[in-house]
Amino acid sequence: MGTGSIHYPELPSCLSQGQFHLSGMHKSGDVILGGLFEINFFSIFPDLSFTSEPQHPTCHGFDVLGFRQAQTLAFAVDEINRNSKLLPNITLGYSLYDNCVKLGIGFRAALALISGQEEQIVMDENCVGSPPVLAIVGDSSSTRSIAISTVLGLYRVPMVSYYATCSCLSDRQKFPSFFRTIPSDAFQVNGMIQILKHFGWSWVGLLISADDYGLHAARSFHSDLSLSDEGCLAYLEVLPWGNEPGELRRIVDVMKKSTARVVIVFAHESHMISLMEEVVRQNLTGLQWLASEAWSTAAVLQTPDLMPYLGGTLGIAIRRGEIPGLRDFLLEINPNIQHNISYGNSMVNQFWEFTFQCRFPPPPADWVENGGKVCSGEEDLRTVETEFLDIFNLRPEYNVYKAVYALAHALHDLLQCTPGSGPFKDNSCASLETLEPWQLVYYLESINFTTSFGDQVSFDENGDVLPIYDIMNWLWLPDGRTKVQNVGEVKMSAFNGEQLTLDADKIFWNFKSKKPPRSVCSENCPPGTRMVRKKGEPECCFDCIPCSEGKVNNKTNSLECFSCTEDFWSSPLRDHCVPKKTEFLSYQEPLGICLTAASLLGTFICAVVLGIFIYHRSTPIVRANNSELSFNLLLSLKLCFLCSLLFIGRPRLWTCQLRHAAFGISFVLCVSCILVKTMVVLAVFKASKPGGGASLKWFGASQQRGTVLVLTAVQAAICTAWLVSSSPSPHKNTKYHNDKVVYECVVGSTVGFSVLLGYIGLLAILSFLIAFLARNLPDNFNEAKLITFSMLIFCAVWVAFIPAYISSPGKYADAVEVFAILASSFGLLLALFGPKCYIILLRPERNTKKALMGRSTIDRYSAHITADAAPICLSISYSIFPSFVNKNLKYLNSSTWAEPLPRPEEDTLSFSSTDPHPSRLTLGHELLQ
């Protein structure tokens, strides 16, 4: 075989169908990081007639801050490459594109990053090698991040956003490889609610942008606000894209008519610019604005024309950070060094032309002729004033910085893997030559490092960073300048949850009062009231209804009032329970004082009458009234008066038991004396009739005492049985008055109380009937008439007592019973002893035997004492009925006796059974003494 040259087959290659014309910035390296940034505000899409090859869209309206964010990525990569401890021997590169604030262009840029921009792709034998980019830093928009991450998630390409806040991106099922270094809107919404709670703003309006950012923020805000029960929305309006004057006019009209003084806006700068034009046109002032992080630091809105309306705005802003060395890096930018014509339009060239208002050659037509300058690339950034070099308010840039370092730390951890102990199949490790993007996702989930500014960076299970926001306040200075100052922060703590810190003294309020405004649909319901929501209105609109009696509420904005316990009642303000007022028949109140005075007066009168009778005991009128029974009657009346005192004062067990027993026994003793006295009087006059003398043997002094004792003992037995079986006891009654505790004595046994009263009534009726029968006896001094009248008073009082007692509540029932006791006692005292005391004290001339002797009496009654009564020792007081004795001497001197009877002595006429005549009677004053 001859020798010759060896020919190898050519490697297959593919030609791309086309390339996207994108404005970008690139740097080569061992590992390439992609980036998507807003470099231009506006874009122009060509006519899509499809009669020729479609042209690429063009972008304009350079965004200096977006470019500074892209340069921050470049600085972070450069700083990592210079760090010998992080990714040693590995050089990072980057490939950055402008998304022109359009989803279509941003999507083109993302596809260009993950697939490459080479015109011809050569396929080697093994088809191995690193992907064009290992991960993408971006995008700044939630909508674009959702679209791009949905595609990148299919291939598990990690995407770390520095500005996309939509809470929907925390769904790991939909976005498995998405991470972010800015807190989720869910936390931002919670931060807003914390601010509302801090200032007591419960009635707010909400404006949102018509995209995923605004719609998801509104959904989270509405649900979280409802769960927190800290307020509600007066209105929710969606700000239109573009210039729609009619819709903006309608929205501002809604804001003007609403009573909500606080407006929350989840929207972008462009939305706010259009909205504020209409706000200024309608001169809508007096509102407190709350800004989301999308516009809380927007310098474009901090103009002299808008600050009268936006001054005092409070906003949630991305955490500010410091990046040492960034300013020096920005000053080193030079288009001659970084411009690479092979990659199309350069971001650096656009920045240079925008900053120095020049054009690189070849300039546009007529540019020079019209006075335009040509860029040389030697211009000095230090000679111009530009916010590009303002590094004292780095917020999105700080998030970009953290995102790059997060990817670098994840890649560093990946490369530090020890073979045989790796996390992948068969404990293998990833290598730089065969590195797959999904392998980097594993290490991204577990990174944990601290930035040079002192902030800890780590991701939770949803790819969200540890949340922290700054609270910003728009200060309008007297000289017309504006300043956005930091007045606090809201952050999530692993131990204490959400924490809001505010320096209230620093906050500028754009109101005459220089104080926070009030923004409520209804003022807080104070303690003592409850909320009743207005029908058809949001839950923050309510009426305050005072708590009903007996119920209290010591909290603000409570939905219900709570009942006090049994012994307590609501205070006048219904904000706390107070002990109920106690009610009973007290010695201190006028009614109790009057009854006590009446009781003591009656007792005193009884004592006086008793003294009078004792002093005048030898006078005819006292001797004629059966003095022993009279003394017992006065003592019993005194007990009746005194027992009424047991019904006055706070009821206790012993007073409840004693009051009715003392009352019952005292009155039975009193009525028994009256009954016996009435029966004696009736028996004496009955004995005056022929054959009636036999009845007198039952009414001697011992029989009278025994009768009174037996009748009283029956009542004592009734009381004893009542107290033993079901004793009266003190009781706290709350049924009569809701706000009072009425202390009363319950009778225990109604039957026992009824028997006690019934027995007294039986004796009283019996006394009344007997006295009524004896009413026509001798009328010079007929005690039967007085007994009849006194019993009539007694029965009338106690008959009226029963319905009055039943219908009287609480202490008035005791008062009625005391009144009945006193009234009946005074009736008996005055009716029985009044006439006698009148004669004794005022008409002593009638207190003689002659005055007590009257012809009418003598003529009307004659004693016919026959032989049937001869064995009876009869003594009739001559002082009482002298005419009766004198009249009937003819019967005693009749043929019945052998000899005439002598005239009676001074006081008595006596006929002894020992006389020679067996039928002789002895009349004396023993029976009625």
Side-chain angles (χ1 to χ4, degrees):
M1 176 186 289
T3 61
S5 62
I6 301 176
H7 299 278
Y8 295 96
E10 292 185 2
L11 295 176
S13 62
C14 298
L15 294 176
S16 63
Q17 293 186 353
Q19 288 181 305
F20 297 125
H21 292 180
L22 302 169
S23 176
M25 188 173 67
H26 309 273
K27 180 179 181 179
S28 60
D30 299 326
V31 176
I32 305 298
L33 301 180
L36 298 174
F37 296 92
E38 294 180 359
I39 307 301
N40 287 280
F41 286 119
F42 309 107
S43 58
I44 299 176
F45 283 82
D47 179 36
L48 299 178
S49 62
F50 297 104
T51 56
S52 60
E53 181 179 358
Q55 298 297 313
H56 295 278
T58 58
C59 301
H60 61 94
F62 193 79
D63 182 6
V64 175
L65 298 183
F67 180 68
R68 188 172 67 184
Q69 295 165 16
Q71 287 297 321
T72 302
L73 184 147
F75 169 77
V77 168
D78 183 71
E79 188 177 63
I80 293 170
N81 288 337
R82 291 185 281 107
N83 189 338
S84 60
K85 295 181 179 180
L86 184 61
L87 292 177
N89 303 320
I90 299 294
T91 302
L92 291 180
Y94 54 80
S95 183
L96 313 180
Y97 286 119
D98 178 15
N99 58 35
C100 300
V101 201
K102 285 295 182 180
L103 175 59
I105 297 177
F107 211 97
R108 285 180 171 89
L111 293 178
L113 289 173
I114 61 175
S115 61
Q117 280 281 69
E118 294 84 358
E119 294 183 4
Q120 183 176 9
I121 302 174
V122 179
M123 309 293 291
D124 59 16
E125 294 180 353
N126 299 322
C127 286
V128 296
S130 299
V133 294
L134 188 61
I136 295 178
V137 176
D139 192 293
S140 59
S141 163
S142 294
T143 299
R144 294 191 295 271
S145 294
I146 292 171
I148 296 171
S149 185
T150 300
V151 175
L152 296 185
L154 299 175
Y155 304 100
R156 302 301 190 263
V157 176
M159 180 177 182
V160 184
S161 176
Y162 56 91
Y163 217 62
T165 59
C166 180
S167 57
C168 60
L169 288 166
S170 297
D171 189 346
R172 291 316 258 179
Q173 298 298 320
K174 295 181 179 179
F175 311 103
S177 61
F178 180 82
F179 299 84
R180 52 184 160 190
T181 54
I182 186 172
S184 165
D185 276 340
F187 181 74
Q188 182 178 193
V189 166
N190 289 333
M192 288 281 193
I193 295 175
Q194 291 290 325
I195 296 175
L196 297 180
K197 179 180 179 181
H198 180 83
F199 292 108
W201 295 331
S202 60
W203 186 235
V204 298
L206 179 61
L207 305 179
I208 61 172
S209 57
D211 55 10
D212 293 296
Y213 172 72
L215 296 176
H216 282 89
R219 188 179 298 116
S220 297
F221 191 87
H222 190 273
S223 61
D224 291 353
L225 193 63
S226 300
L227 292 175
S228 66
D229 199 26
E230 297 296 340
C232 50
L233 295 178
Y235 54 85
L236 170 61
E237 297 293 339
V238 180
L239 298 175
W241 285 99
N243 187 18
E244 298 185 22
E247 180 64 12
L248 290 173
R249 188 181 306 112
R250 185 193 65 80
I251 292 174
V252 175
D253 287 339
V254 171
M255 297 168 61
K256 182 181 293 186
K257 294 176 182 178
S258 175
T259 57
R261 309 320 302 157
V262 176
V263 182
I264 302 174
V265 183
F266 279 90
H268 306 283
E269 295 178 15
S270 57
H271 294 93
M272 284 300 299
I273 292 172
S274 300
L275 174 66
M276 293 310 299
E277 290 177 355
E278 184 62 27
V279 168
V280 172
R281 193 186 69 81
Q282 296 195 29
N283 193 28
L284 178 57
T285 59
L287 296 180
Q288 176 63 47
W289 298 83
L290 286 184
S292 68
E293 39 74 32
W295 66 278
S296 61
T297 59
V300 69
L301 296 172
Q302 301 169 26
T303 63
D305 294 335
L306 298 182
M307 284 305 290
Y309 305 91
L310 293 177
T313 295
L314 287 174
I316 287 184
I318 302 169
R319 174 73 166 175
R320 187 190 70 85
E322 294 182 2
I323 306 176
L326 178 61
R327 178 178 171 84
D328 294 335
F329 179 83
L330 297 178
L331 289 172
E332 294 176 358
I333 293 176
N334 192 307
N336 292 336
I337 299 175
Q338 300 185 17
H339 177 54
N340 190 328
I341 203 67
S342 64
Y343 283 94
N345 295 328
S346 170
M347 292 182 185
V348 177
N349 280 14
Q350 293 181 45
F351 164 71
W352 210 262
E353 291 179 344
F354 174 81
T355 302
F356 295 102
Q357 294 298 302
C358 60
R359 293 292 182 269
F360 282 100
D366 300 331
W367 172 261
V368 177
E369 289 78 3
N370 293 330
K373 296 186 297 181
V374 177
C375 300
S376 65
E378 301 295 331
E379 292 83 1
D380 189 356
L381 286 174
R382 295 178 179 86
T383 61
V384 294
E385 286 191 12
T386 173
E387 57 182 336
F388 177 72
L389 297 176
D390 182 9
I391 63 169
F392 299 103
N393 195 31
L394 300 177
R395 299 183 185 278
E397 294 83 0
Y398 187 51
N399 285 344
V400 173
Y401 184 77
K402 290 189 290 185
V404 175
Y405 265 88
L407 290 171
H409 277 278
L411 183 59
H412 181 83
D413 294 341
L414 181 147
L415 297 178
Q416 295 299 313
C417 176
T418 302
S421 60
F424 306 118
K425 185 178 180 181
D426 299 329
N427 296 326
S428 61
C429 296
S431 64
L432 191 60
E433 292 76 15
T434 61
L435 181 60
E436 296 289 342
W438 60 266
Q439 293 174 320
L440 188 63
V441 173
Y442 172 82
Y443 287 95
L444 264 176
E445 292 176 342
S446 57
I447 63 161
N448 192 338
F449 66 94
T450 302
T451 67
S452 58
F453 190 58
D455 289 335
Q456 183 181 356
V457 179
S458 62
F459 298 112
D460 62 14
E461 65 276 7
N462 297 320
D464 293 324
V465 73
L466 188 67
I468 182 170
Y469 275 114
D470 290 334
I471 308 298
M472 310 306 295
N473 177 230
W474 290 21
L475 178 61
W476 191 17
L477 299 175
D479 58 3
R481 294 184 298 110
T482 61
K483 178 183 178 182
V484 179
Q485 60 178 352
N486 190 327
V487 294
E489 67 178 15
V490 56
K491 63 181 180 180
M492 176 69 74
S493 171
F495 301 101
N496 300 321
E498 292 182 17
Q499 291 180 307
L500 173 66
T501 304
L502 278 177
D503 187 353
D505 295 335
K506 291 178 59 178
I507 299 178
F508 168 74
W509 302 106
N510 194 26
F511 304 97
K512 292 182 179 180
S513 63
K514 302 302 178 183
K515 294 181 179 180
R518 288 284 295 165
S519 186
V520 294
C521 181
S522 300
E523 291 295 335
N524 291 332
C525 288
T529 62
R530 61 184 178 90
M531 296 193 322
V532 177
R533 291 194 172 95
K534 296 180 180 179
K535 187 176 180 180
E537 296 189 28
E539 59 183 10
C540 290
C541 302
F542 49 80
D543 293 319
C544 297
I545 306 300
C547 295
S548 57
E549 291 186 349
K551 294 187 176 183
V552 298
N553 168 41
N554 58 1
K555 298 180 179 179
T556 301
N557 291 342
S558 178
L559 292 175
E560 57 181 338
C561 300
F562 304 94
S563 299
C564 295
T565 56
E566 183 179 6
D567 293 336
F568 290 82
W569 193 247
S570 55
S571 64
L573 296 179
R574 309 285 198 271
D575 56 352
H576 67 284
C577 293
V578 296
K580 286 183 177 180
K581 297 178 181 178
T582 57
E583 182 179 273
F584 53 87
L585 190 57
S586 170
Y587 287 106
Q588 285 76 33
E589 62 178 303
L591 180 59
I593 293 174
C594 292
L595 295 177
T596 302
S599 175
L600 296 177
L601 177 62
T603 305
F604 176 74
I605 294 175
C606 286
V608 171
V609 172
L610 182 61
I612 293 173
F613 268 53
I614 293 175
Y615 185 77
H616 297 278
R617 63 186 178 277
S618 60
T619 60
I621 198 167
V622 175
R623 296 176 67 187
N625 273 275
N626 198 336
S627 57
E628 183 178 344
L629 284 179
S630 296
F631 292 156
N632 289 337
L633 182 57
L634 284 171
L635 290 175
S636 64
L637 282 174
K638 186 182 293 186
L639 292 177
C640 290
F641 281 115
L642 291 176
C643 78
S644 64
L645 297 178
L646 294 173
F647 292 84
I648 304 175
R650 183 165 181 168
R652 304 185 186 280
L653 180 60
W654 69 272
T655 57
C656 289
Q657 293 175 338
L658 187 59
R659 61 168 57 172
H660 290 105
F663 153 70
I665 294 174
S666 299
F667 266 89
V668 165
L669 179 60
C670 177
V671 176
S672 298
C673 292
I674 296 173
L675 177 61
V676 171
K677 177 179 284 197
T678 307
M679 293 173 66
V680 169
V681 172
L682 185 64
V684 168
F685 284 98
K686 188 177 180 182
S688 66
K689 297 180 181 181
S695 61
L696 293 176
K697 65 180 179 180
W698 301 105
F699 294 98
S702 59
Q703 285 86 354
Q704 295 174 33
R705 297 187 195 101
T707 302
V708 172
L709 181 62
V710 170
L711 293 177
T712 305
V714 172
Q715 183 73 306
I718 293 173
C719 292
T720 302
W722 178 20
L723 295 178
V724 171
S725 61
S726 182
S727 172
S729 59
H731 172 66
K732 294 187 296 184
N733 195 323
T734 58
K735 296 180 180 178
Y736 298 137
H737 306 283
N738 290 329
D739 59 340
K740 296 180 182 178
V741 175
V742 178
Y743 286 92
E744 60 183 6
C745 288
V746 292
V747 296
S749 172
T750 306
V751 175
F753 187 52
S754 301
V755 172
L756 182 144
L757 292 178
Y759 184 66
I760 297 174
L762 177 64
L763 296 180
I765 293 172
L766 187 60
S767 298
F768 172 74
L769 293 176
I770 295 174
F772 181 77
L773 294 175
R775 71 189 184 281
N776 293 322
L777 293 178
D779 53 6
N780 262 30
F781 190 80
N782 188 355
E783 194 175 17
K785 288 184 178 181
L786 300 178
I787 294 174
T788 303
F789 182 65
S790 65
M791 285 296 99
L792 184 62
I793 295 174
F794 184 88
C795 293
V797 168
W798 287 102
V799 168
F801 159 76
I802 295 175
Y805 181 82
I806 294 175
S807 61
S808 298
K811 68 178 182 180
Y812 298 103
D814 292 335
V816 167
E817 190 166 357
V818 172
F819 180 81
I821 293 172
L822 296 177
S824 58
S825 300
F826 274 111
L828 294 176
L829 179 62
L830 296 177
L832 294 176
F833 295 96
K836 300 178 181 65
C837 291
Y838 173 76
I839 293 175
I840 292 172
L841 299 176
L842 301 178
R843 303 294 296 274
E845 69 276 5
R846 295 177 58 181
N847 191 7
T848 63
K849 290 177 287 185
K850 292 182 179 181
L852 296 175
M853 297 169 60
R855 294 301 304 169
S856 61
T857 304
I858 296 171
D859 294 338
R860 188 177 303 152
Y861 293 95
S862 298
H864 301 280
I865 305 176
T866 64
D868 295 335
I872 304 173
C873 181
L874 178 63
S875 298
I876 303 177
S877 175
Y878 186 74
S879 300
I880 306 176
F881 305 115
S883 60
F884 165 76
V885 176
N886 292 329
K887 176 73 174 179
N888 287 281
L889 285 178
K890 64 182 180 178
Y891 296 103
L892 299 177
N893 292 323
S894 64
S895 59
T896 308
W897 284 271
E899 55 186 62
L901 296 175
R903 297 293 299 179
E905 299 295 331
E906 177 68 20
D907 286 334
T908 62
L909 173 67
S910 62
F911 303 99
S912 176
S913 59
T914 60
D915 286 348
H917 302 282
S919 59
R920 186 183 297 268
L921 293 176
T922 300
L923 296 176
H925 63 285
E926 297 176 356
L927 184 64
L928 299 178
Q929 186 71 11

